[in-house]
Structures are given as C-alpha cells and as structure tokens.
Amino acid sequence: MGHGWEGVVLKLMRGRDFTFTVTAAEQLTDGFRRVSVTDGGLLAATGGAHPTMWVRLWFERHGKPHQRAYTLVDPDPEAGTFSLDFALHDGPATDWARAAAPGDTIDATLQGTGFALPEPAPSRLFVIGDPASLPAINSLLAAAPGTPATIWYESAPGTDDEPPLRLDHAHHTLHRVDRHGRGGELIDAVRSTLPRLLGDDPSDAYVWIACDTATTRSLSGYVRRDLAVPKERVHALGYWRAG
Ligand SMILES: Cc1cc2nc3c(=O)[nH]c(=O)nc-3n(C[C@H](O)[C@H](O)[C@H](O)COP(=O)(O)OP(=O)(O)OC[C@H]3O[C@@H](n4cnc5c(N)ncnc54)[C@H](O)[C@@H]3O)c2cc1C
C-alpha cells in the first residue's frame, strides 16, 4: 500500500460554512461536467484533504434550498482550490453545474466527512460504484498506488461511454455494468464474481461500496453477512436515492 492512506491528518470541524467561487467550468465527457472553484478557506481550515472528502453544497430551486453532497477533485491546499465533477442527470445540483460560469458562487457546509484508515493497510481493493461516486473512486485509487483493485462501475447504457476513471491498468481491473431501470444488474455482477476473487480469507481485503442507497444497502449486507468480510474492512455509503 502506498503512503496515501497515512497522508493526511485533518483538523476536521463540523458545521463550518464556506463560499466557493467558480473559476472554470468544462464538459469533461457527455456524462460529466467539471466545475473548478476557489475554496473560500476550506482547505486551510481543515489542514488538507483526505481521500473521498466531500462537502454539502446548497443549491436553490424555486426559491427553496437543496443540500447535496459533492466530492473534492484534485484538492490543492496551497492554492485553496479544487474541482467538483457533476454526473449529469435531472436535479437542482445538475442544473446549477450546467449553467455554472466563472464568478458564480455556491455556499458549502463541511460536516461529517472523514476517512477511516483500514488497519492493517489492505493488499487488495474491491470498489463498487457509479458516476456519483466516480470522483471518490479516483481519489481512493490514487491513495493506494500499486494496490491491486477490482472496480465494478455501473452506468446507464449510452450515457457514459468514456467515464473519466483514472485507472492504472497494470493494477486495476474494471467491470462495466449497464444499469437498466431501477438497477439490479450491479448486484448480480458483484454476486457472481466477488466470492471467487475474495477467496477464503478476506482479512487483507477492503471493500468500498457507494452506489444508489438500495443497491448499497443490499451489497453491504451481502458482503458482511454472506461473504463474512469483517465490518471494519467494508465501507458502504449510499450516494443517491433512485426516484
Ligand atoms: C458523500 C457523497 C459524495 C457525493 N459526491 C458526488 C460527486 O462528486 N459527483 C456527483 O455527481 N454526485 C455525487 N454525489 C451524489 C449526489 O449528491 C446526488 O446524486 C444528488 O442527489 C444529486 O442532486 P441533484 O439535485 O442533481 O438531483 P436530485 O434532486 O437529488 O434528484 C433528481 C432526480 O435525479 C435522480 N438522481 C439523483 N442522483 C442521481 C444520480 N447520481 N444518477 C442518476 N439519477 C440520479 C433522482 O432519483 C431524482 O429522480 C455524492 C453523494 C454523497 C453522499
């Protein structure tokens, strides 16, 4: 395992508010829009960033506030900058990202983000996600250079042909899974491949799951109960709710 896991000790606070200012916006791929910001002092206040670090952003629609979580991409503590990669669909957050232009501002609250270091460091990673967790997946893989990882990545067919995953093909194996309707294919794909890959002793593995809430719940129960992966070797967090 590389040094990334140990890399950062955060002076994390809860409930601190910041205002980000947009410096650039670009269409990364058909399915993703990247908005780059200055951080309003966030990274100086936290003392850095940890893998998968996220903030709550406040969007407005029809005069009402909507709070949504987004992941820091390429945080630069010295410059006080990072980007946010928006997986595009319908919703207040997506609407804001589509229209974002330099000079726009967005309010953010830092609350409850954290990253528990798996101890001992895992020698194998199993990562299950989708466009919403793609930025977190990239930061997780970057924190563990050289560690073999198997990634199951779910996306709706035709929306996301070239997802901006940052893979090291020498160590990372990608399984693409098409999502139809309310999903289910991802669960089948993981159930049919993970047991064999995990083998008899899962204690050196780390399983990271971040999909829609129902899929995440189903897979985390399966991995903990049926595959007997110790709970401290499994991280599971639902990233979005299917409508
Ligand atoms: C810790 C954390 C970090 C996250 N980081 C990111 C990130 O970096 N980038 C990112 O794009 N998302 C990220 N998400 C997910 C994001 O917060 C949700 O997708 C959020 O619901 C988007 O808000 P919205 O206003 O666009 O849509 P909403 O108003 O929440 O939903 C509108 C409609 O879109 C559907 N929908 C919502 N999200 C998705 C989706 N991801 N895919 C397909 N349909 C969807 C809903 O079911 C609903 O029908 C993160 C979530 C968490 C918990």
Side-chain angles (χ1 to χ4, degrees):
M1 181 66 61
H3 298 297
W5 297 115
E6 299 84 4
V8 192
V9 178
L10 283 189
K11 295 177 272 169
L12 263 192
M13 313 155 250
R14 291 174 184 259
R16 279 285 307 268
D17 296 323
F18 302 88
T19 299
F20 304 157
T21 303
V22 175
T23 55
E26 61 171 315
Q27 197 70 29
L28 270 190
T29 63
D30 283 355
F32 283 92
R33 189 158 179 83
R34 171 166 295 169
V35 178
S36 301
V37 298
T38 54
D39 73 352
L42 182 145
L43 292 171
T46 56
H50 62 75
T52 76
M53 184 165 170
W54 55 278
V55 289
R56 296 173 195 274
L57 299 178
W58 294 91
F59 302 95
E60 206 182 282
R61 190 186 247 187
H62 308 311
K64 287 197 185 136
H66 298 271
Q67 193 192 122
R68 303 283 186 260
Y70 279 83
T71 305
L72 274 50
V73 174
D74 298 335
D76 180 341
E78 282 185 17
T81 59
F82 48 80
S83 296
L84 303 159
D85 285 353
F86 290 79
L88 300 175
H89 46 89
D90 289 331
T94 307
D95 287 353
W96 180 85
R98 282 186 210 276
D104 289 357
T105 59
I106 183 93
D107 290 336
T109 302
L110 183 68
Q111 203 172 43
T113 188
F115 187 76
L117 304 179
E119 279 288 338
S123 52
R124 303 179 287 154
L125 296 175
F126 298 100
V127 177
I128 308 166
D130 64 19
S133 54
L134 178 143
I137 293 171
N138 282 339
S139 73
L140 189 69
L141 296 176
T147 303
T150 306
I151 301 109
W152 289 263
Y153 181 79
E154 176 202 58
S155 60
T159 57
D160 196 16
D161 288 341
E162 294 289 336
L165 282 162
R166 297 174 180 172
L167 300 183
D168 158 10
H169 293 285
H171 299 100
H172 300 157
T173 304
L174 176 66
H175 297 286
R176 297 283 310 260
V177 181
D178 283 349
R179 180 184 177 95
H180 296 280
R182 296 188 61 81
E185 297 83 0
L186 182 59
I187 295 172
D188 294 343
V190 172
R191 280 176 170 259
S192 67
T193 44
L194 182 57
R196 182 179 48 80
L197 293 171
L198 208 50
D200 293 335
D201 180 10
S203 61
D204 66 335
Y206 184 61
V207 184
W208 190 92
I209 308 168
C211 319
D212 74 82
T213 48
T215 302
T216 302
R217 198 176 312 118
S218 167
L219 283 174
S220 66
Y222 170 67
V223 167
R224 287 183 177 123
R225 283 191 299 272
D226 298 17
L227 301 184
V229 180
K231 68 175 184 328
E232 64 278 7
R233 313 297 290 182
V234 182
H235 170 91
L237 180 63
Y239 267 37
W240 60 284
R241 199 169 289 277

